[in-house]
Amino acid sequence: MGSDQPHPNKYEEIIEGFKTNKFKNITFITGAGISTSAGIPDFRSPTGIFANVKKKYGLNRPEDLFELNSFLDNPKPFYDFCKEFNIEHCLPTKTHLFQSFLCHKGLVNKIYTQNVDGLELKAGCPENKIIFAHGRITEAGCPKCFKSYDIEKLRENINKDILTTCSSCGAYIKPKVVFYNESLSFSFYFKFISIKFSDLGIIMGTSLRVFPFGNLPYSLPKSSWRVLINMEEAGYMSYQEDSNAFRFNDINKKDLFLQGKCDEVIDKLVRDIGWEQEFNNFCNQRLSQIQNK
Ligand code: CNA
């Protein structure tokens, strides 16, 4: 199914929808694949983080690097990984800038992201539009008693190979990013309801294999379009009429799969809508603002 061409009528309907201002509540559901062109590896691509960490850090499974109990037993592999995972210099991609562009046009409902890199904020998306479902790398705290900790101090300690423990409960401190076996923040569940207001869901750069986040596309209302932009098909497919799973090949369903690199698909989309000049101006302006900071 993945190699099928996107249904031409569905693609045209989406383009027409943008041109006629039909979409006013666009919901983005995103993952690490939207940041790979910024130089940040994802988890599961052949060149992703999971490809070499098992051997490098002597783990049983690559997931153990981000597993709460493994971290609490021995934080060293994760701290060593952090030393190399420096993303401060990374710039937002075309895909992040597209989200920001649509926010500035007042067309965005919410951006649900699994990413912890904060590139949505760098791109200029308003903070109140973004739900960082898996937290952010720019904050630190105790995973047991939730006491906050200074991220700069944690980074300094990591770079000096000092193990940082919580002054209240003694557990090891980590950046406030959600690990396997850790609960999602209260605000994720609180803001989850907003998804019901979508008229277009754009799901990008995610394998949809981390839950509960991976279930978000199936919570979009039945009336909403669902466009998946990814290197390969992701999520559940179904041929059953009453299922919420994707049905990209069903002519009557508002599901469309656009296979490829996010930035390239976004470029084509913008061109086909007729926004090329306006979008390029927006990107140049935003990128020069970041560089002049
Ligand atoms: P994943 O499981 O690694 O899947 C990424 C998906 O994106 C795969 O299907 C890839 O084929 C696809 N992909 C990669 N590059 C592109 C591209 N340029 N264009 C289109 N598709 C592409 O990552 P998920 O986000 O699905 O998994 C969730 C984890 C990854 C979350 O817990 C994140 O915190 C974690 N993560 C985040 C970052 C980040 O913040 N940038 C980096 C690495 C991992």
Side-chain angles (χ1 to χ4, degrees):
M1 199 144 71
S3 56
D4 286 355
Q5 289 299 309
H7 197 286
N9 294 344
K10 287 189 187 180
Y11 184 73
E12 278 158 21
E13 268 193 69
I14 294 287
I15 299 298
E16 201 49 33
F18 274 109
K19 283 182 173 170
T20 56
N21 232 352
K22 183 176 157 198
F23 304 126
K24 296 190 174 69
N25 280 303
I26 301 170
T27 297
F28 288 101
I29 297 173
T30 67
I34 71 164
S35 295
T36 50
S37 63
I40 306 172
D42 64 5
F43 273 174
R44 292 181 179 83
S45 286
T47 52
I49 293 168
F50 281 179
N52 70 352
V53 290
K54 196 172 147 201
K55 201 164 157 206
K56 193 167 176 185
Y57 300 109
L59 305 166
N60 291 328
R61 302 172 319 137
E63 287 86 351
D64 288 348
L65 190 62
F66 306 101
E67 205 278 324
L68 185 61
N69 293 322
S70 306
F71 172 82
L72 292 172
D73 275 352
N74 175 18
K76 184 102 175 54
F78 179 72
Y79 282 175
D80 284 347
F81 166 79
C82 287
K83 271 200 260 183
E84 289 177 23
F85 195 71
N86 183 0
I87 59 169
E88 260 170 68
H89 62 284
C90 291
L91 292 173
T93 66
K94 274 259 168 86
T95 305
H96 295 101
L97 290 161
F98 180 64
Q99 296 178 80
S100 178
F101 180 67
L102 293 188
C103 283
H104 285 88
K105 281 185 173 292
L107 302 178
V108 173
N109 172 35
K110 285 278 183 256
I111 298 168
Y112 294 88
T113 187
Q114 295 163 96
N115 293 349
V116 298
D117 55 36
L119 288 183
E120 295 78 8
L121 291 171
K122 263 196 189 173
C125 302
E127 192 152 2
N128 65 3
K129 288 285 172 194
I130 315 167
I131 292 126
F132 290 102
H134 293 171
R136 283 169 60 189
I137 207 149
T138 48
E139 293 164 2
C142 173
K144 272 199 153 169
C145 75
F146 308 113
K147 187 173 177 180
S148 286
Y149 193 86
D150 180 17
I151 185 72
E152 291 308 326
K153 181 77 188 135
L154 177 65
R155 279 198 193 125
E156 211 180 294
N157 287 351
I158 287 175
N159 287 332
K160 290 182 187 159
D161 286 323
I162 297 171
L163 301 181
T164 310
T165 51
C166 175
S167 57
S168 296
C169 74
Y172 294 114
I173 300 289
K174 68 176 190 52
K176 281 189 187 168
V177 296
V178 178
F179 273 23
Y180 290 104
N181 278 330
E182 214 173 3
S183 303
L184 266 59
S185 69
F186 172 71
S187 80
F188 172 78
Y189 293 101
F190 183 64
K191 291 173 181 162
F192 170 78
I193 192 69
S194 306
I195 205 162
K196 295 288 173 205
F197 301 112
S198 311
D199 45 28
L200 168 64
I202 304 183
I203 303 125
M204 309 187 282
T206 174
S207 62
L208 293 174
R209 283 168 64 178
V210 175
F211 297 96
F213 190 95
N215 282 325
L216 282 181
Y218 322 113
S219 300
L220 286 160
K222 285 219 157 70
S223 56
S224 169
W225 278 91
R226 295 186 297 190
V227 179
L228 171 69
I229 304 174
N230 210 46
M231 294 294 273
E232 72 257 328
E233 256 184 19
Y236 300 124
M237 317 292 152
S238 169
Y239 292 96
Q240 283 168 2
E241 202 51 54
D242 57 351
S243 161
N244 281 342
F246 290 127
R247 290 174 62 187
F248 298 120
N249 286 349
D250 184 336
I251 196 162
N252 299 314
K253 268 283 204 176
K254 294 174 159 184
D255 286 346
L256 175 66
F257 173 44
L258 299 175
Q259 187 165 25
K261 292 187 177 170
C262 293
D263 294 348
E264 291 173 10
V265 175
I266 294 296
D267 256 342
K268 177 167 163 38
L269 200 70
V270 163
R271 260 196 326 273
D272 291 343
I273 300 167
W275 281 344
E276 194 175 11
Q277 188 65 49
E278 193 187 347
F279 181 57
N280 283 345
N281 290 344
F282 179 88
C283 293
N284 291 338
Q285 206 178 11
R286 187 64 208 154
L287 290 172
S288 70
Q289 275 169 357
I290 299 170
Q291 270 145 4
N292 291 334
K293 255 191 182 173

